[in-house]
Amino acid sequence: MTIIRQGTSSPLTGMVGGIVLVQFNGSTYMRRAPQRPRNSWTPDQLLHRQRFSKVNQFCKQFKDSLIPQIWNDAAIRMSGYALFLKTNMRAFAPDGSLADPKKIVLSTGKLPLPEGLHAQRTAPEGTILQVSWLRDLHRGGNTLQEELMFISAADGRYSEITATGLLRMDRGGSFELPASALPLAPGPLHIYLFFASKDRRNYSESICLEV
């Protein structure tokens, strides 16, 4: 069914004769609707669909948090959601399971990550995280006020974006992990570290460290 709204600036959406009309970034695009019967998919195609479905499910948990906050501004020729999904597809196995948490990218942007970024707990299974990085001689001024942020991942759960209180000019320090960031049982804890500008409009790409 095609829906035509009144007014010259109103969008045209729907399907006409096997052609789908899609609105994106203020423009109307036409594409042919898929006509392949479901029972004609090959095993490889079915596996690919399964993988895409699971990756899409993973991405949906960030559609109201990370994606509008960070990824929408970074996307140019696609939506922030599509860019986030495309970027993180590499972390998943052919069957859709998460193969490598360190390949997950939770933040992106034009701010550089400092070299030598390192993190470790001050005690086994402790809640204090010690971080350090090398000084960047090419950055100064307001860039030194960029703050280190983190997201933790454990047991398939991801925390909210949390500010550490550490600035780029500090070249390190320590902060406490909230209880919600810790594994429910002894196990791996992955920390995604990245920098944000003071006004929270610019970000760096994230790096994942297991601590």
Side-chain angles (χ1 to χ4, degrees):
M1 180 178 70
T2 303
I3 301 174
I4 301 178
R5 306 183 190 279
Q6 298 297 323
T8 56
S9 62
S10 299
L12 183 67
T13 61
M15 184 169 66
V16 180
I19 301 297
V20 179
L21 301 169
V22 180
Q23 298 294 322
F24 181 70
N25 283 349
S27 300
T28 302
Y29 296 86
M30 295 188 297
R31 65 186 183 203
R32 188 177 301 277
Q35 300 177 350
R36 183 189 296 270
R38 289 187 177 183
N39 59 5
S40 67
W41 294 101
T42 67
D44 285 345
Q45 289 171 329
L46 290 172
L47 190 62
H48 176 75
R49 285 172 62 86
Q50 174 182 308
R51 180 180 185 234
F52 182 86
S53 177
K54 290 187 177 182
V55 176
N56 188 48
Q57 185 177 2
F58 166 82
C59 295
K60 281 183 178 179
Q61 64 185 307
F62 304 108
K63 66 183 181 68
D64 296 321
S65 54
L66 286 180
I67 293 174
Q69 183 171 346
I70 298 176
W71 292 79
N72 284 352
D73 288 340
I76 299 177
R77 299 186 180 275
M78 61 182 73
S79 68
Y81 187 93
L83 178 61
F84 184 79
L85 187 149
K86 179 180 179 181
T87 301
N88 285 293
M89 186 73 74
R90 61 179 184 168
F92 292 82
D95 65 354
S97 61
L98 180 56
D100 189 349
K102 291 187 177 181
K103 289 184 178 181
I104 291 291
V105 179
L106 296 181
S107 174
T108 191
K110 61 184 181 181
L111 300 183
L113 273 175
E115 295 183 4
L117 186 56
H118 175 74
Q120 65 179 17
R121 297 194 199 190
T122 57
E125 308 300 328
T127 61
I128 303 298
L129 202 66
Q130 184 76 35
V131 295
S132 62
W133 57 88
L134 300 178
R135 180 183 179 186
D136 187 346
L137 298 177
H138 300 287
R139 297 184 67 78
N142 290 335
T143 64
L144 296 178
Q145 300 297 315
E146 294 163 0
E147 187 173 3
L148 182 68
M149 318 292 286
F150 84 88
I151 296 172
S152 69
D155 309 316
R157 299 174 295 114
Y158 290 80
S159 71
E160 299 293 329
I161 298 176
T162 305
T164 67
L166 302 177
L167 304 182
R168 186 182 289 269
M169 64 182 180
D170 297 330
R171 288 188 287 168
S174 62
F175 59 91
E176 186 169 7
L177 299 170
S180 59
L182 301 176
L184 298 176
L189 173 64
H190 291 94
I191 296 291
Y192 296 85
L193 299 172
F194 54 98
F195 280 85
S197 61
K198 189 174 182 180
D199 59 8
R200 299 295 190 264
R201 297 183 62 182
N202 295 304
Y203 295 85
S204 73
E205 184 171 312
S206 61
I207 183 174
C208 177
L209 302 173
E210 185 174 335
V211 297

